[in-house]
Amino acid sequence: MPDAPMPPLQLTDVQRSVASELDRIAPVIDELGRRFADAGHELSLVGGPVRDAMLGRHHNDLDLSTSARPEQTERLLKGWAEAIWDMGRAFGTIGCRKGEWQVEITTYRSESYDPSSRKPDVDFGDSLVGDLGRRDFTVNAMAVRVPGREVEDPYGGVVDLAHRVLRTPGRPEDSFSDDPLRMMRAARFAAQLGFTVDESVVAAMTAMADRIEIISAERVRDELVKLVCAPYPRLGLALLVETGLAERVLPELPALALERDEHHRHKDVYEHTLTVLEQAIDLEPRLPGEGPDFVSRFAALMHDVGKPRTRRFVDDGTVTFHHHDVVGAKITRKRMKALRFSNDDIEAVSKLVELHLRFHGYGTGEWTDSAVRRYVRDAGDQLERLHVLTRADCTTRNQRKADRLRRTYDELEERIARLSEEEELASIRPDLDGNQIMQILGIGPGREVGQAYQHLLELRMDLGPMTEEQARDHLLTWWAARG
């Protein structure tokens, strides 16, 4: 996984890629192009689909721009599209579905912004070039007219794409003043595409970082999720830190650059964290499902955020971060709430941060079966992600130590698998249920039933499965001891 930009593309490869993609989507763009042309309107494929076509990336969500007004677009789609929606009508956008394709067609726009708000005043424009000029980056400001397939590239997007560079069509200061979220998008596109960011764009992002504060937490969160789930998140995260944007949206990340890891003094915790993130990504095939796993990646990013608050200097010159796992979980929960993450995501990531050090008490296998059961119970439905995070957290350059840690964790996973097969650890329960407890003790519903249930659960963890008679004897002994 690179932390540096990839080599330039050859223009011949770009041309070949875009021709191949246009042939693939021809059933949509050629038919629509003719319908609009016959009605006297222009229609062009624009933005991300054009950029991705040149990169050889395929998808079935198509963005088009037109001289037609929304009501005219809607009329032209009737009888062709299988479904039509107009939630974006206020912004000039009509959406539709045709077979496997989802299409959004937007009237040429000319926008002005209130400096205190990201929301534009939308005015319809009258030219494709003017519409392209209001887009975020030159690689997104290209178009292909349909059905004729003439490429429109008024701002040099093809050259920038070939050189893998992000620039704005006009002055970056104007672009970011209009829409500060574009600064986050620069980091996100760097992470998604593996591109470098032009120096003038970086300078504007640095000077205008405070402008991000007018953007809603939800929009910042969405860009951050896309960045973290991108192929090269280190590139985007490093840009956020370099420009000062991270101080405003995820201040826990740049704070790590000030800390030293107690086990690897040659590394700061920030670099260690980015390495853990990359190693967690490499381990994602271990997880169920396909594609990027945001929870696993974000837990890797946040796992050491408790270190700045727990740093202590010892007399012998070493540095400790005791309880940074617990403190980090609290910090993570607070940050994710501020960014309006779902409760499920907050709880999952926070649990992983809190548990990421638990394995280090395993030593060379000293845990009893009881301790292994508790490890599984505490991880709950995050056990597979905890396996990934724990393995990714090993960044030592000492190969012998790394191999030893890997073998030890292999052994722990084998013990978990064996116990799970024998005892169904994932759904572990006491050997008596609440009704049986009340019947044996002769009591009704109340606090004592819950206390008895918890006692039997702890016994189940310590002793493993028991017969009903054994569980009954333990319950009565506990009850008698309570008087």
Side-chain angles (χ1 to χ4, degrees):
M1 182 175 299
D3 57 4
M6 295 180 285
L9 296 168
Q10 298 298 315
L11 288 177
T12 53
D13 294 334
V14 171
Q15 293 167 341
R16 191 179 304 113
S17 294
V18 74
S20 173
E21 176 64 357
L22 291 176
D23 287 341
R24 189 182 74 88
I25 63 178
V28 175
I29 61 173
D30 288 353
E31 286 186 36
L32 276 177
R34 284 191 291 269
R35 290 176 76 93
F36 276 70
D38 290 345
H41 301 296
E42 298 177 357
L43 186 69
S44 299
L45 187 70
V46 294
V50 177
R51 178 200 69 221
D52 288 346
M54 293 181 177
L55 291 171
R57 297 166 52 167
H58 300 165
H59 52 72
N60 292 343
D61 295 340
L62 306 178
D63 295 326
L64 295 106
S65 189
T66 182
S67 59
R69 295 299 189 257
E71 62 275 10
Q72 296 169 321
T73 295
E74 191 169 21
R75 283 198 299 269
L76 287 167
L77 290 175
K78 287 180 179 178
W80 178 83
E82 296 166 5
I84 300 173
W85 53 90
D86 67 349
M87 287 84 77
R89 181 184 292 274
F91 296 96
T93 300
I94 303 295
C96 71
R97 177 174 53 81
K98 175 77 168 179
E100 61 183 326
W101 313 96
Q102 291 218 77
V103 180
E104 289 193 346
I105 303 177
T106 303
T107 302
Y108 295 156
R109 297 199 306 212
S110 174
E111 299 171 344
S112 60
Y113 287 79
D114 180 339
S116 63
S117 171
R118 179 183 177 262
K119 296 180 180 179
D121 296 322
V122 178
D123 293 318
F124 295 137
D126 56 9
S127 76
L128 175 60
V129 172
D131 183 79
L132 295 176
R134 48 164 288 278
R135 295 176 183 268
D136 51 9
F137 302 104
T138 60
V139 295
N140 295 329
M142 299 180 288
V144 177
R145 293 184 183 271
V146 294
R149 299 194 181 183
E150 301 94 351
V151 174
E152 292 283 351
D153 181 24
Y155 302 102
V158 171
V159 173
D160 285 344
L161 184 139
H163 288 91
R164 301 184 185 272
V165 174
L166 287 175
R167 289 190 307 111
T168 54
R171 288 182 356 113
E173 293 82 2
D174 296 335
S175 180
F176 299 152
S177 178
D178 285 347
D179 184 358
L181 190 64
R182 289 172 175 170
M183 296 186 288
M184 291 288 297
R185 287 167 63 83
R188 190 245 292 183
F189 282 126
Q192 286 182 330
L193 304 173
F195 283 17
T196 59
V197 180
D198 185 77
E199 290 182 2
S200 66
V201 175
V202 174
M205 292 170 66
T206 304
M208 303 177 68
D210 286 344
R211 286 278 293 160
I212 200 66
E213 293 172 4
I214 72 169
I215 302 298
S216 70
E218 291 84 357
R219 290 186 176 275
V220 170
R221 174 203 63 208
D222 291 347
E223 287 297 326
L224 192 59
V225 169
K226 292 174 184 176
L227 189 162
V228 170
C229 290
Y232 316 111
R234 178 189 282 262
L235 292 177
L237 293 168
L239 182 61
L240 292 181
V241 172
E242 176 188 352
T243 58
L245 278 164
E247 290 279 0
R248 279 82 177 174
V249 301
L250 194 66
E252 295 78 11
L253 182 61
L256 295 177
L258 304 177
E259 305 303 321
R260 309 299 296 182
D261 187 290
E262 69 269 37
H263 299 303
H264 309 286
R265 298 185 194 177
H266 59 281
K267 300 178 182 177
D268 61 38
V269 182
Y270 169 72
E271 289 295 332
H272 164 76
T273 295
L274 295 182
T275 301
V276 172
L277 170 60
E278 291 180 327
Q279 294 186 165
I281 293 171
D282 291 339
L283 291 168
E284 278 182 347
R286 295 173 56 99
L287 298 174
E290 297 181 1
D293 186 79
F294 171 75
V295 168
S296 176
R297 293 186 184 202
F298 203 62
L301 190 62
M302 301 296 283
H303 80 283
D304 273 349
V305 295
K307 284 189 171 180
R309 293 191 186 178
T310 58
R311 181 176 60 170
R312 299 292 182 270
F313 295 97
V314 185
D315 291 341
D316 64 1
T318 59
V319 182
T320 65
F321 302 97
H322 295 312
H323 307 301
H324 77 266
D325 47 348
V326 177
V327 173
K330 292 178 180 178
I331 293 172
T332 297
R333 186 172 286 107
K334 182 177 180 180
R335 176 56 51 198
M336 293 185 74
K337 284 182 178 179
L339 288 170
R340 305 289 194 272
F341 278 95
S342 69
N343 289 334
D344 287 346
D345 281 349
I346 292 171
E347 291 309 311
V349 175
S350 299
K351 177 184 285 189
L352 290 168
V353 172
E354 185 169 356
L355 294 177
H356 82 273
L357 286 182
R358 181 74 67 86
F359 163 71
H360 295 287
Y362 187 73
T364 56
E366 288 83 2
W367 277 3
T368 61
D369 285 352
S370 171
V372 174
R373 294 186 191 103
R374 282 185 168 82
Y375 188 75
V376 173
R377 180 193 65 179
D378 291 348
D381 58 0
Q382 299 305 314
L383 181 62
E384 293 302 320
R385 287 181 172 130
L386 183 58
H387 291 335
V388 166
L389 177 58
T390 303
R391 290 179 179 276
D393 196 23
C394 175
T395 61
T396 177
R397 296 177 182 176
N398 184 321
Q399 192 59 47
R400 290 180 61 186
K401 182 178 180 181
D403 290 342
R404 184 172 68 250
L405 287 170
R406 186 184 65 254
R407 287 194 301 269
T408 304
Y409 205 85
D410 287 343
E411 178 191 327
L412 173 59
E413 286 201 58
E414 290 169 2
R415 289 182 64 185
I416 290 172
R418 185 175 68 252
L419 286 172
S420 294
E421 184 177 355
E422 295 171 356
E423 305 179 17
E424 298 183 358
L425 290 184
S427 56
I428 197 165
R429 297 288 187 274
D431 296 283
L432 299 174
D433 62 25
N435 289 328
Q436 291 172 304
I437 290 170
M438 289 188 287
Q439 183 179 5
I440 291 169
L441 298 182
I443 60 176
R447 184 175 58 185
E448 290 88 352
V449 178
Q451 292 171 340
Y453 186 92
Q454 187 61 38
H455 173 70
L456 290 174
L457 180 59
E458 292 299 321
L459 285 177
R460 174 71 172 77
M461 291 290 174
D462 289 336
L463 305 177
M466 293 182 285
T467 66
E468 183 175 338
E469 182 178 355
Q470 290 171 326
R472 181 179 183 279
D473 290 342
H474 280 292
L475 175 63
L476 291 173
T477 299
W478 172 81
W479 186 247
R482 289 168 53 89

